[in-house]
Amino acid sequence: DAGVTQSPTHLIKTRGQHVTLRCSPISGHKSVSWYQQVLGQGPQFIFQYYEKEERGRGNFPDRFSARQFPNYSSELNVNALLLGDSALYLCASSLGANEKLFFGSGTQLSVL
Amino acid sequence: DQQVKQNSPSLSVQEGRISILNCDYTNSMFDYFLWYKKYPAEGPTFLISISSIKDKNEDGRFTVFLNKSAKHLSLHIVPSQPGDSAVYFCAASPTSGTYKYIFGTGTRLKVLA
């Protein structure tokens, strides 16, 4: 069975640009969460979606947005990129809204 | 404000010995705790979890202990193997609310052969 898949694996952008990251959950999982991991820190919660509805949002500016599609895949969008947005962006899926997370390998975003 | 703390950034242990990784939390509303392992260039992998109604959970070589009064949990790996070398994150969540997990900063475990 395929695990959580994320694309792209690596991305280089410049300040002010926009980026879209994509995630496909494990088959049968209805919840997708997004986390940001800065070097030397633990993953930090950005969003959770369950059954296509936003269930939680972390302490991130409105430049960050996300959505979940009818097939439960998800996109994370970041507008007006800043240097500080450089990080590993992790997507995780779970069966339900409050169950253990299964992570993808992440998208490494570098903002120059 | 770091609600989940892993105060040891790194730990080295000899192969075959016990590895003990520690985690402290400050929010008394947390009642579900997990440990994840992360290898370079991979996402975190779930290892073991414990809910606040228990004080111990075992899975093979891995045991997690929870001390609610001290707001402290620990992961024991016995015996440690070189393949256990990775970064270990503890995470905490209330069972209600936004269902977000709060992660610690991680401990890098190195098991020496």
Side-chain angles (χ1 to χ4, degrees):
Chain A
D1 283 343
V4 177
T5 57
Q6 292 186 243
S7 63
T9 54
H10 295 84
L11 203 51
I12 299 174
K13 292 284 190 178
T14 56
R15 280 178 299 174
Q17 284 189 313
H18 158 269
V19 69
T20 297
L21 311 181
R22 295 178 174 83
C23 173
S24 292
I26 293 172
S27 178
H29 285 194
K30 297 181 179 180
S31 177
V32 169
S33 299
W34 288 94
Y35 284 78
Q36 180 197 64
Q37 187 180 10
V38 174
L39 196 63
Q41 300 294 316
Q44 188 172 358
F45 174 75
I46 310 176
F47 285 110
Q48 190 204 37
Y49 279 77
Y50 178 67
E51 286 281 16
K52 291 153 281 184
E53 289 188 5
E54 182 183 306
R55 287 298 189 93
R57 183 186 183 112
N59 189 22
F60 281 80
D62 291 343
R63 299 185 296 107
F64 289 76
S65 64
R67 54 181 176 167
Q68 187 177 32
F69 299 99
N71 66 353
Y72 301 109
S73 66
S74 177
E75 282 182 356
L76 175 70
N77 294 283
V78 187
N79 292 324
L81 285 166
L82 302 174
L83 296 179
D85 295 331
S86 296
L88 178 68
Y89 288 85
L90 294 162
C91 173
S93 73
S94 56
L95 270 172
N98 189 33
E99 301 196 31
K100 67 185 180 213
L101 302 175
F102 294 83
F103 284 90
S105 297
T107 295
Q108 185 67 54
L109 173 66
S110 297
V111 182
L112 305 178
Chain B
D1 179 28
Q2 192 72 25
Q3 297 186 67
V4 177
K5 300 178 185 179
Q6 293 177 257
N7 291 318
S8 298
S10 64
L11 175 68
S12 290
V13 170
Q14 207 66 34
E15 181 180 6
R17 306 295 287 268
I18 184 171
S19 294
I20 300 176
L21 295 95
N22 294 304
C23 180
D24 297 294
Y25 61 97
T26 57
N27 191 335
S28 58
M29 297 300 293
F30 290 152
D31 59 4
Y32 184 55
F33 305 89
L34 309 92
W35 283 94
Y36 281 84
K37 177 171 70 174
K38 188 178 186 303
Y39 294 118
E42 295 183 12
T45 304
F46 170 76
L47 207 52
I48 193 168
S49 64
I50 189 167
S51 72
S52 59
I53 61 173
K54 292 185 171 183
D55 54 16
K56 177 182 173 182
N57 189 26
E58 280 182 84
D59 185 2
R61 297 186 297 114
F62 302 93
T63 303
V64 56
F65 295 92
L66 175 62
N67 183 333
K68 291 184 287 295
S69 60
K71 295 191 179 68
H72 176 84
L73 64 155
S74 61
L75 174 69
H76 292 210
I77 306 173
V78 182
S80 300
Q81 300 173 353
D84 296 329
S85 298
V87 178
Y88 289 77
F89 293 98
C90 67
S93 173
T95 54
S96 61
T98 61
Y99 311 114
K100 67 179 182 181
Y101 290 90
I102 308 296
F103 283 80
T105 53
T107 295
R108 182 177 300 277
L109 173 65
K110 187 171 184 179
V111 180
L112 307 169

